Amino acid sequence: MHIKSILLFVALLAISLAGISQQRTIRGTVSDSLTQQPLPGVTVAVPGTTTGVVTDADGRYNILLPDGKNTLRFSYIGYSELSLTTTSGHDELNAFLSSVSQSLNSVVITGYTQQSKSRTTGAVTSLPTAVTTQAPVASFDVMLQGRAPGLYVGTPTGQPGEAGRVSIRGLGSINGDVNPLYVVDGVPVANNSFAALNPEDFETIHVLKDAAATAQYGSRAANGVIVITTKKGKAWEDGKVRVNYRGQFGVSGLNSSKWDMMNTDQRLQFEEILQDPTLPGWAYSRNNPNKMVNGIPVPKTAEDYTFGNQYLDSLRQINTDWRKHLLRQGRIQTHSLNVSGGNEKTTFYLSGGYFNQDGIALNSGMERYSLRANVQNRSGRFKTTLNMGISTATIKYIQDEGVAEEGGAAVGGGGITEKNPIAALYYALPYESPYGKPGPGRYGANALDAYANSLKKDNQIKAVLSLNETVELTKEFQLTGTVGMDFQQNNTTNYLNPDSWYGNLVSNGNQGSYQRGLANRLGLVATGGVRYNKQWGKDHEIEANLLSEINKIKGNGFGFTGYGLVPELPGTPAGITPGTPDNNFIPVISGQTTPNRLLISQIALFRYSYGDKYTLSASLRRDGSSQVPATNRYKFFYAIGGNWNILAENFLKDQQAFSTLRLRASYGLTGNAGGFTSDYGFRTLYSPADYNGNKTLVPMTPGNPAYNWEMNRIGDIGLEFGFFHNRLRGEIDLYNRVTEGLFVNRNLSHTTGFPTIAANAGKVRNRGIELMLEGDAIKNRDFSLTLGLNLAYNKNKILSLGGEDRIFADEATMNMVGRPLGSFYAVRWKGVDPQTGAPVYLDKEGRETNTYNPDDAVPLKATYDPPLIGGATVSIRYKRFDLSMLVSFIHGMSRLNYPDLYAHSGSPNYRQYSQSKDMLNIWQKPGDVSQYPGAQYATYFTSRDVTSADYVKLRNITLGYNIPVPKHMSGAIRNVKVFASGQNLLSIMKWRGFDPEDANDIAQYEYPMPRTITGGINVTF
């Protein structure tokens, strides 16, 4: 019996070993089919068995395939289930899952970590990468308009390359920065530098809005974070590289503006109504019996009447439409070529891009060249990622658009000056010849002279580089490190020809000017630490990160303006005449050593997930900023968040209504250290001055040694839902954001020598609701129709100004306790007295008066930050055709419309400018009922000039067609697509003028937003 037992045991062991020998281990990576990003937490199972594993943080898996089995099933919440068959001799199997809803279920990348949307506790909106290619827009941030709930983008001007004013969930500061933090491949970048980046290289775009998502960035996260990753290479199934070319050509012109300026006949009629002898419409009118001789009216003779008739007839022959002379139809072209490929160890993505856009105003436009190289390598325990992007851009501006210190046109743009050609569109009279000589009052000719004899440009160099290294110590422990650089150089030139009209008006010598400026900005970041990721049992997972980080930003710049130019040496500093005390050519020299700041941080991140049912996250960050005095330099920022997949509960397992139902909530603290215009603002600063012929230093700012951080406390609760197998899906968020220690300028006694001091003395609240809905109305093999809508309502309220009741921002807006930031104030307009034609105002008590008194100005129910914003999308696919459309809208925004004010005034101060056709209805005699007072009355800024800037815009529409590739070419060409796109095709608005869209409260003849139509082709080899 003993021998028989041994023999039986040996036989059974041999059979078992034979079975084991026939098993094999399959490994691979599971990725998102659209973004190519690895998917952590994917279930990999062998159908018909209990064998299964879950992918790790990098999307990798190892599974033992039983004998006789060759199929693996990949399943993940929000993604279509996928089954793949292995082949003999191949132990690696990579899978690419398709998301059933990119808005609800995708990989969320926050910069430091990434996980599936189902395990994310924060309010994060993931944007499809198609937004970066649908419209040929020079600056990426402008493409975000209407794309995400709670994200507002105001475009200051239509100048190519212009950066937008971006805010997330309202304005949270008065003097501090209100722009979000931008992070590209782990490197923070300047928020006005996207003109020099090629958006076609972007792969993922994530908008982080609440504390659970943003608090990991601490003192830089007060206004939200936008995280961008660039495209990575891929080891394609056939082992070959992919080459992709995309090209677009098109034209741009003036948009659908409400332009109603007078033609020549109307202008001469208006001048006759005014009966102003200095204007030709009355001076030469047959109804005017007198002519002016040395300022004295003298009766006209027959010859005078004859000459007057001839002169007026000659004016009527001119009738200039200045839009045809000061604006143009601009051309645009873009080209992008990229190559990607690799193997299981190394992948690469290489690209080159070219962008060229003519502005619709002469002398304006942008040209950009860009290169990118992204390489990933996995060797044993090491994973290396290198991202390198460099570009150069040349931006040409019209005069008086301005150039900001760190590149791009000045926020707000425009200028109430004759040198601004856009202002000349309003100022220039229709009977002025475009071929006349420049001079006083010849606004159109002066603008053409500025076009022909000036140059204003900015040559930018931009480089963003990052190197990430991950070392796998064990299956659970990883060392991570990232170093990165954001470099930008701006080389600006501003030239005025000495022989031009404006060149002769230059105060230093009246012989033009030549200005150069060079500014450098270098941002450095280094992050390192350890990551721990542990999965045990069937449902438990922990991820923890301990990191240290250093952020350093340095800048410097210098410039000069020279005078007395030699006409024979145009556009070069060699033409500058050396300045002496006698010739008034003394040059202006400038220099700077800012920005210059350091941020040192320690970061702790934690996440626990119980299957797909519960997730708890927490973050703690300690920041030390050189922008804050030593006593307040270090602060802790934190957040805690939770996610509950309600459908995973037993009490809902039999329900059929919902396909997704997740509840999440978060609360945390973020900060803002940049309350001063200078990185040294908390100190007493000095500037050079002259005293008794000698150089000296004088105090410039008082400083504030008690200065502290602005602190944001943010609470958020959100619900993600889906019906009918996620055919209808959406999210709704409620949030409350309170900013304390608000940066305000408190008034000082005049005896101090300073008007104000920057202090932490205010409190503001943003409270709102966000809604995103998306539905597949039709979805079958040949036809699909998807509709989307996002809405956000934000209620902004100032809770305190540190003892002050109100603080005035400019001549139109103020900040007042109990009202939103940026509220308008003005003397209220009542109307026009029909008996006298006098304007009627309301005084402070609401009584009617004909006397304009600035002290009667009161707060208005109007603000320039829109409380309601949103967008609507339509996506249609029919066989090989696809159509997408975006409509964006805002409601509740107001702006002071200076161009409209000047175009509706018959007063002596403004009547020399061209006027709106409405002014033919100006009050003339008792009994007239008119909106416009008699010409004898002065024009002042009142409440009627604060007008609605609401709009509904057809922002973009794109139609594409995938051309069938002939079989004999399928080995060389994989896909061919042609498409056509339109941008800003239609605007519905009350605004009178070119465009209400802007980034500030006052319209001052900004560059018009263009309407752009392009056609293109996309070929994959």
Side-chain angles (χ1 to χ4, degrees):
M1 291 294 294
H2 180 68
I3 296 176
K4 290 182 179 180
S5 299
I6 294 175
L7 291 175
L8 179 61
F9 173 77
V10 171
L12 292 174
L13 180 61
I15 294 172
S16 300
L17 290 174
I20 294 175
S21 65
Q22 295 177 20
Q23 294 179 345
R24 58 195 177 104
T25 300
I26 304 298
R27 65 181 183 278
T29 303
V30 184
S31 305
D32 186 296
S33 63
L34 178 64
T35 67
Q36 312 303 319
Q37 294 295 316
L39 293 173
V42 177
T43 299
V44 184
V46 180
T49 73
T50 58
T51 303
V53 296
V54 177
T55 58
D56 64 15
D58 291 323
R60 292 180 298 172
Y61 73 92
N62 285 275
I63 189 170
L64 192 65
L65 197 64
D67 178 36
K69 300 293 184 180
N70 59 0
T71 300
L72 293 179
R73 183 174 60 228
F74 302 85
S75 58
Y76 197 35
I77 290 181
Y79 285 79
S80 299
E81 190 174 277
L82 178 67
S83 294
L84 296 177
T85 301
T86 66
T87 57
S88 177
H90 293 82
D91 295 332
E92 183 167 343
L93 184 64
N94 297 324
F96 298 91
L97 301 187
S98 299
S99 172
V100 297
S101 170
Q102 286 297 319
S103 58
L104 281 184
N105 302 282
S106 58
V107 176
V108 174
I109 301 173
T110 65
Y112 296 111
T113 64
Q114 68 178 50
Q115 59 263 340
S116 66
K117 183 71 181 287
S118 64
R119 297 184 178 183
T120 300
T121 62
V124 180
T125 298
S126 303
L127 301 181
T129 54
V131 306
T132 64
T133 57
Q134 283 182 341
V137 179
S139 186
F140 153 77
D141 47 1
V142 177
M143 299 178 184
L144 301 177
Q145 294 163 320
R147 294 288 184 181
L151 177 67
Y152 170 69
V153 181
T155 307
T157 76
Q159 162 74 47
E162 178 67 54
R165 190 266 283 177
V166 181
S167 62
I168 298 175
R169 293 185 168 181
L171 301 178
S173 184
I174 294 178
N175 295 326
D177 188 9
V178 296
N179 286 287
L181 171 70
Y182 294 90
V183 179
V184 177
D185 290 332
V187 180
V189 300
N191 57 22
N192 58 354
S193 63
F194 286 100
L197 292 177
N198 182 6
E200 293 201 20
D201 288 331
F202 295 169
E203 185 168 68
T204 66
I205 306 163
H206 298 283
V207 182
L208 317 184
K209 294 181 286 189
D210 72 336
T214 65
Q216 56 192 301
Y217 289 97
S219 62
R220 298 170 297 163
N223 304 298
V225 183
I226 296 179
V227 178
I228 301 166
T229 63
T230 56
K231 293 178 180 177
K232 305 297 187 291
K234 177 183 174 183
W236 302 99
E237 293 81 359
D238 57 7
K240 299 179 180 179
V241 300
R242 295 288 192 274
V243 179
N244 188 79
Y245 166 78
R246 182 184 179 89
Q248 282 180 275
F249 297 87
V251 294
S252 57
L254 187 62
N255 62 17
S256 54
S257 57
K258 292 187 177 181
W259 179 267
D260 62 350
M261 308 303 286
M262 293 178 178
N263 60 28
T264 295
D265 286 336
Q266 293 165 332
R267 174 67 192 189
L268 293 176
Q269 179 186 348
F270 176 67
E271 291 179 359
E272 194 161 347
I273 294 173
L274 295 179
Q275 297 188 1
D276 187 337
T278 65
L279 301 175
W282 177 247
Y284 298 105
S285 172
R286 294 194 65 84
N287 297 322
N288 182 5
N290 299 315
K291 64 180 179 180
M292 302 299 294
V293 178
N294 296 325
I296 300 174
V298 176
K300 289 181 179 178
T301 64
E303 290 80 6
D304 292 329
Y305 283 111
T306 301
F307 175 80
N309 290 338
Q310 295 174 346
Y311 184 77
L312 291 177
D313 286 342
S314 67
L315 292 182
R316 291 189 178 95
Q317 297 301 314
I318 299 175
N319 198 29
T320 304
D321 183 352
W322 285 104
R323 290 173 296 179
K324 297 180 180 179
H325 296 275
L326 298 178
L327 302 179
R328 65 180 174 184
Q329 186 179 79
R331 292 174 297 179
I332 183 172
Q333 62 173 310
T334 69
H335 303 274
S336 178
L337 180 69
N338 63 70
V339 182
S340 65
N343 52 38
E344 66 276 5
K345 290 187 176 181
T346 303
T347 59
F348 63 88
Y349 172 86
L350 308 174
S351 76
Y354 175 73
F355 180 96
N356 192 339
Q357 181 180 6
D358 294 332
I360 63 173
L362 280 67
N363 276 18
S364 66
M366 174 179 163
E367 185 177 36
R368 177 181 66 215
Y369 298 87
S370 63
L371 292 172
R372 173 161 290 279
N374 292 347
V375 181
Q376 287 183 302
N377 175 265
R378 182 183 294 277
S379 178
R381 297 177 179 271
F382 297 89
K383 179 183 177 182
T384 305
T385 302
L386 177 63
N387 303 301
M388 299 184 294
I390 186 168
S391 58
T392 176
T394 299
I395 307 175
K396 292 183 179 180
Y397 302 96
I398 62 174
Q399 289 295 322
D400 275 20
E401 271 292 296
V403 179
E405 291 181 1
E406 296 183 354
V411 173
I416 304 177
T417 166
E418 296 178 17
K419 197 188 300 184
N420 180 1
I422 307 304
L425 289 168
Y426 287 86
Y427 294 162
L429 298 172
Y431 53 65
E432 180 191 343
S433 172
Y435 309 106
K437 292 184 178 180
R442 299 174 182 173
Y443 309 114
N446 293 347
L448 290 172
D449 181 77
Y451 275 144
N453 294 284
S454 66
L455 173 66
K456 193 168 192 176
K457 68 177 182 179
D458 181 13
N459 290 320
Q460 298 183 8
I461 297 176
K462 179 75 173 179
V464 180
L465 294 85
S466 68
L467 173 65
N468 176 267
E469 187 71 33
T470 301
V471 183
E472 190 176 272
L473 301 178
T474 67
K475 185 178 180 181
E476 291 83 16
F477 277 101
Q478 294 178 336
L479 294 180
T480 64
T482 299
V483 292
M485 178 185 76
D486 171 35
F487 173 76
Q488 183 165 334
Q489 181 181 91
N490 294 85
N491 191 337
T492 58
T493 303
N494 193 349
Y495 168 73
L496 278 177
N497 191 327
D499 291 336
S500 66
W501 165 253
Y502 288 113
N504 291 327
L505 297 180
V506 173
S507 57
N508 288 35
N510 309 115
Q511 294 183 30
S513 63
Y514 181 85
Q515 182 183 71
R516 288 291 297 272
L518 183 68
N520 295 313
R521 181 189 185 276
L522 176 63
L524 300 171
V525 61
T527 307
V530 61
R531 175 182 296 130
Y532 176 76
N533 185 259
K534 174 69 174 178
Q535 299 176 5
W536 71 96
K538 182 180 178 181
D539 297 312
H540 301 281
E541 181 187 8
I542 283 180
E543 180 183 352
N545 293 265
L546 292 177
L547 306 168
S548 292
E549 185 174 87
I550 297 176
N551 281 271
K552 174 70 175 177
I553 298 178
K554 297 182 63 177
N556 60 72
F558 65 89
F560 65 87
T561 304
Y563 305 97
L565 305 187
V566 179
E568 291 77 14
L569 296 172
T572 172
I576 297 173
T577 300
T580 68
D582 300 323
N583 64 14
N584 197 29
F585 295 153
I586 305 297
V588 175
I589 308 297
S590 63
Q592 66 181 54
T593 58
T594 56
N596 192 354
R597 54 183 178 266
L598 178 67
L599 181 71
I600 299 177
S601 310
Q602 296 83 42
I603 309 162
L605 308 174
F606 173 82
R607 175 180 63 86
Y608 168 74
S609 295
Y610 180 78
D612 285 317
K613 185 182 291 188
Y614 308 114
T615 295
L616 177 68
S617 70
S619 67
L620 181 66
R621 178 173 179 135
R622 180 177 181 262
D623 276 352
S625 173
S626 64
Q627 294 177 280
V628 183
T631 53
N632 298 320
R633 182 155 293 167
Y634 294 94
K635 290 290 182 183
F636 282 95
F637 304 94
Y638 62 87
I640 186 169
N643 185 331
W644 176 28
N645 180 13
I646 305 175
L647 291 186
E649 299 293 346
N650 291 331
F651 61 83
L652 286 177
K653 65 179 181 179
D654 296 326
Q655 65 83 36
Q656 302 296 322
F658 290 97
S659 48
T660 297
L661 190 62
R662 288 196 295 266
L663 181 67
R664 50 179 168 74
S666 67
Y667 180 81
L669 178 72
T670 61
N672 185 0
F676 290 101
T677 56
S678 166
D679 289 337
Y680 317 104
F682 62 89
R683 299 180 177 179
T684 302
L685 301 180
Y686 297 83
S687 63
D690 293 320
Y691 179 76
N692 196 25
N694 298 312
K695 284 291 183 182
T696 186
L697 294 176
V698 297
M700 183 175 61
T701 61
N704 182 0
Y707 164 75
N708 211 328
W709 308 66
E710 271 187 352
M711 307 297 279
N712 275 265
R713 302 183 186 277
I714 311 170
D716 181 279
I717 184 168
L719 181 68
E720 302 168 10
F721 53 87
F723 302 92
F724 317 117
H725 302 287
N726 275 352
R727 287 281 294 272
L728 176 63
R729 51 207 174 259
E731 293 183 58
I732 186 169
D733 276 84
L734 299 171
Y735 64 87
N736 188 69
R737 170 189 174 195
V738 177
T739 305
E740 299 177 308
L742 197 70
F743 301 139
V744 298
N745 291 324
R746 300 191 65 174
N747 296 323
L748 292 177
S749 169
H750 292 295
T751 59
T752 64
F754 301 101
T756 61
I757 184 173
N760 303 90
K763 188 175 182 180
V764 66
R765 183 183 68 203
N766 286 277
R767 177 181 291 173
I769 183 172
E770 296 171 353
L771 173 67
M772 187 282 295
L773 287 174
E774 189 177 62
D776 301 319
I778 303 173
K779 189 176 182 180
N780 55 50
R781 179 176 179 180
D782 292 331
F783 183 76
S784 65
L785 170 63
T786 301
L787 305 175
L789 174 69
N790 70 80
L791 289 170
Y793 175 77
N794 180 75
K795 184 175 179 59
N796 181 283
K797 185 177 181 180
I798 299 175
L799 303 179
S800 172
L801 290 173
E804 303 280 349
D805 178 59
R806 64 188 69 184
I807 296 176
F808 295 97
D810 51 38
E811 68 268 30
T813 58
M814 63 181 232
N815 298 307
M816 182 177 181
V817 175
R819 292 181 175 270
L821 285 170
S823 294
F824 284 88
Y825 73 100
V827 175
R828 287 169 290 177
W829 172 264
K830 178 65 175 178
V832 177
D833 188 331
Q835 298 305 312
T836 65
V840 180
Y841 312 105
L842 296 179
D843 65 13
K844 251 184 170 51
E845 285 71 35
R847 296 171 300 207
E848 294 185 4
T849 177
N850 296 125
T851 302
Y852 180 85
N853 183 356
D855 293 335
D856 285 331
V858 298
L860 307 177
K861 292 182 178 180
T863 176
Y864 76 90
D865 188 48
L868 179 64
I869 60 176
T873 58
V874 177
S875 298
I876 301 174
R877 179 190 56 81
Y878 176 68
K879 293 186 176 180
R880 292 183 173 272
F881 289 93
D882 59 77
L883 174 72
S884 64
M885 183 169 63
L886 169 67
V887 175
S888 66
F889 53 87
I890 65 171
H891 179 74
M893 179 177 182
S894 298
R895 299 184 71 215
L896 166 55
N897 194 341
Y898 264 136
D900 195 59
L901 184 156
Y902 294 154
H904 289 85
S905 173
S907 73
N909 289 334
Y910 306 118
R911 63 177 58 164
Q912 72 271 24
Y913 303 140
S914 185
Q915 295 289 308
S916 166
K917 297 175 183 178
D918 299 338
M919 291 302 289
L920 294 175
N921 298 319
I922 191 173
W923 184 94
Q924 299 179 52
K925 63 184 185 301
D928 285 351
V929 177
S930 174
Q931 301 179 53
Y932 310 106
Q936 67 270 34
Y937 298 101
T939 299
Y940 300 102
F941 157 51
T942 67
S943 60
R944 74 165 177 172
D945 302 307
V946 178
T947 58
S948 170
D950 297 347
Y951 62 76
V952 177
K953 287 190 177 186
L954 179 54
R955 182 71 63 182
N956 177 264
I957 184 168
T958 301
L959 175 65
Y961 176 69
N962 290 284
I963 300 176
V965 178
K967 290 184 177 180
H968 68 276
M969 298 181 64
S970 59
I973 300 177
R974 300 177 185 274
N975 183 64
V976 179
K977 182 177 182 178
V978 293
F979 57 91
S981 177
Q983 186 81 357
N984 293 325
L985 296 180
L986 176 67
S987 298
I988 301 174
M989 58 188 182
K990 296 180 181 178
W991 184 262
R992 297 162 63 103
F994 287 125
D995 203 311
E997 186 175 347
D998 208 315
N1000 64 1
D1001 57 338
I1002 302 177
Q1004 301 183 52
Y1005 304 105
E1006 289 88 356
Y1007 194 120
M1009 293 290 293
R1011 172 191 289 145
T1012 304
I1013 298 175
T1014 62
I1017 186 170
N1018 195 98
V1019 184
T1020 302
F1021 301 94

